[in-house]
Amino acid sequence: MMKKNSILILLIILGTLLAACNSDDEATATDGEVSGEITVWVHPYTSDAEAESAMWDEIVASYEEKFDATVTIETIPWGNRDQKILTALAANNGPDVFYAIPDQMPQYADEGMLLELDPYLEDNNMDDFVDSALVSTKWQGKSYGLPILQEAYTLFYNVDVIKAIGKDPENLPSTWSEFEEWAKAAKEEGYYAYSYQGGGSMNGTLYPFLWQAGGKVITQDDEVMINNAEGVEAFKFINKMYEKGWIPEDSITAMNHDAIWNAGEMLAVQGSGISLTNLQESGLNFVIAPPLKNKEQATYGTTGMFVVPSNTDNPNAAAEFVKTVTNAENQRKFNTVTQYIPTRKSAKDIFDDQKYLKQLAQYTQYALPGVIHPQGRNIMPMIQAEVQTMMEGKKTPQEAADAAAEAIKGEIDK
């Protein structure tokens, strides 16, 4: 993985170059022709390269049938993608369209690296997109991408454990207080209630509880909110789960609790569409519940999007490709192959005959993509360290939240 400073240096260099290039000639949408050639960088989204290649052929054909333009699809590996993209754009030989994830977009947009798409979207039926899918495409009120896929993480419950603790698998917990009742019952019967993977991403640990409590980490205007009353409530809830023994002893640093779940010793784990294969292979009988709610009903789910660099030589053709690849027809093609959830409401019918994915597709409306801020990736380890210190008993929830807030302020003030 690249060091943070390397990414920052590349961002600064590229931002300066792009500012110089665009200062006298802002790229704007026009009614001009869509022609020429564009290059699109994608990633391997599955292990089936042949199926993906056929998928891209169909998507490109749908674009080239409509426009007098030629598209070249290039697949680049996930590893070191930041460095490859930034280096190519800085040398002005990068793609005209590329795939981005939520913690990349605000970094790039903040440095002036991305083309604003709003002027191109008047005819794009934006109301068909799930509202939560558009959160990660916007920075400072402007749209810099269009989403093609989403996930929605929620709780998967072991039916045998539910019955063993005297609860009803047809009436699953929907609130924190209801979950606490189930957690107490699980503990009394010798089960863990939940898998808290404290060594993993904040997106799967603190953040969902913080959002459910009605809190935020930081706003796009740099207001740090992690230590307000709502944020502290989330810290307290996690600390309570650990102190009560509702989560395993190694939860401070654990990356997974697969062995405990597979042994039938855990009530619930967090999962998504990409977890289904492993969960089904475990042989356990499970049911899926909607995301929990405290003040808000919320969960984590990444969003994948396509964006256009601001130094593209063909902004019209690039913007139209982004619109084409994310239309309902092509989202059906893409997500049928990749098994992610479409971000267009009208494309979700691809999962109508798949019990679990159809259910999970209903929950993307509650799925937030993480912290949309240029420092979103960098502040995660700081927050994680404070949550871990709290769980070790060295700080109170308020002290841990305050320390996290100070660390975040220090990072954004650099």
Side-chain angles (χ1 to χ4, degrees):
M1 182 178 290
M2 288 183 61
K3 293 182 179 179
K4 179 181 71 176
N5 287 345
S6 300
I7 296 177
L8 179 60
I9 290 170
L10 282 171
L11 282 167
I12 293 172
I13 293 173
L14 183 52
T16 302
L17 289 172
L18 294 179
C21 292
N22 296 328
S23 59
D24 297 323
D25 186 19
E26 290 290 334
T28 58
T30 70
D31 294 326
E33 65 178 301
V34 176
S35 61
E37 301 178 356
I38 58 171
T39 298
V40 179
W41 280 6
V42 301
H43 299 293
Y45 302 96
T46 72
S47 59
D48 192 339
E50 185 175 344
E52 289 193 40
S53 178
M55 171 195 76
W56 286 119
D57 286 345
E58 291 184 21
I59 291 173
V60 168
S62 73
Y63 174 81
E64 292 181 344
E65 288 170 2
K66 184 177 180 181
F67 300 105
D68 184 24
T70 302
V71 180
T72 299
I73 298 289
E74 295 182 4
T75 301
I76 66 171
W78 290 100
N80 296 319
R81 62 187 182 277
D82 276 312
Q83 185 172 26
K84 182 175 180 65
I85 291 168
L86 293 171
T87 301
L89 294 181
N92 205 30
N93 63 0
D96 299 285
V97 175
F98 63 95
Y99 180 85
I101 57 177
D103 64 359
Q104 292 174 311
M105 186 283 296
Q107 294 185 65
Y108 299 166
D110 198 52
E111 294 294 337
M113 294 169 52
L114 299 182
L115 179 73
E116 182 192 343
L117 295 181
D118 290 303
Y120 299 87
L121 302 180
E122 291 183 4
D123 62 344
N124 200 45
N125 189 14
M126 298 301 291
D127 290 340
D128 190 36
F129 285 102
V130 179
D131 288 342
S132 60
L134 296 175
V135 171
S136 65
T137 68
K138 296 180 182 293
W139 174 247
Q140 300 291 358
K142 297 179 180 180
S143 300
Y144 291 99
L146 286 179
I148 192 168
L149 67 85
Q150 269 187 295
E151 287 183 289
Y153 279 80
T154 193
L155 296 186
F156 289 59
Y157 287 83
N158 183 319
V159 173
D160 293 333
V161 176
I162 292 174
K163 293 177 179 178
I165 66 174
K167 300 297 183 180
D168 181 4
E170 299 292 329
N171 188 22
L172 299 170
S174 61
T175 65
W176 281 16
S177 59
E178 291 172 358
F179 181 79
E180 285 194 33
E181 292 179 12
W182 283 47
K184 292 174 185 176
K187 176 65 176 177
E188 289 171 0
E189 296 298 328
Y191 297 99
Y192 290 112
Y194 176 65
S195 171
Y196 183 89
Q197 301 166 25
S201 168
M202 292 286 95
N203 287 328
T205 52
L206 173 69
Y207 289 175
F209 292 113
L210 187 145
W211 298 326
Q212 290 164 11
K216 293 183 178 180
V217 176
I218 184 173
T219 70
Q220 293 192 1
D221 294 323
D222 292 346
E223 181 184 0
V224 179
M225 301 180 68
I226 194 170
N227 62 330
N228 64 13
E230 291 79 10
V232 174
E233 188 172 2
F235 277 76
K236 287 179 178 178
F237 189 74
I238 291 169
N239 203 46
K240 182 177 185 178
M241 287 196 294
Y242 191 66
E243 289 182 339
K244 296 288 187 181
W246 298 344
I247 57 179
E249 293 84 349
D250 68 348
S251 292
I252 297 174
T253 58
M255 297 299 293
N256 67 72
H257 290 121
D258 292 349
I260 300 174
W261 169 262
N262 291 339
E265 298 171 356
M266 182 171 282
L267 174 64
V269 294
Q270 190 169 222
S272 70
I274 60 174
S275 312
L276 277 174
T277 299
N278 291 335
L279 287 163
Q280 290 170 316
E281 289 178 352
S282 72
L284 299 176
N285 185 14
F286 63 86
V287 288
I288 305 177
L292 289 174
K293 178 180 181 179
N294 187 25
K295 292 185 178 67
E296 304 288 342
Q297 187 171 17
T299 186
Y300 168 71
T302 193
T303 302
M305 74 195 83
F306 284 99
V307 299
V308 178
S310 55
N311 65 349
T312 176
D313 293 329
N314 201 340
N316 282 353
E320 290 299 334
F321 182 82
V322 172
K323 291 161 62 177
T324 299
V325 72
T326 58
N327 68 27
E329 177 186 359
N330 285 325
Q331 286 214 23
R332 290 188 184 97
K333 294 174 182 176
F334 180 92
N335 290 295
T336 295
V337 172
T338 63
Q339 292 290 282
Y340 285 101
I341 300 171
T343 59
R344 282 193 177 272
K345 302 167 191 173
S346 61
K348 289 188 177 185
D349 56 7
I350 62 172
F351 295 135
D352 280 352
D353 61 349
Q354 297 188 50
K355 174 183 175 182
Y356 295 124
L357 284 173
K358 181 179 180 180
Q359 185 177 358
L360 289 170
Q362 299 172 7
Y363 302 152
T364 58
Q365 62 182 306
Y366 308 117
L368 297 176
V371 176
I372 305 303
H373 190 279
Q375 297 298 330
R377 184 185 301 182
N378 298 333
I379 63 177
M380 270 196 187
M382 304 170 184
I383 301 170
Q384 182 181 52
E386 296 304 330
V387 175
Q388 290 172 330
T389 300
M390 174 193 70
M391 294 171 71
E392 290 170 347
K394 297 178 181 177
K395 288 183 180 178
T396 66
Q398 183 70 64
E399 290 170 343
D402 287 341
E406 287 303 312
I408 294 169
K409 291 174 183 176
E411 184 66 19
I412 62 177
D413 287 342
K414 285 182 179 179

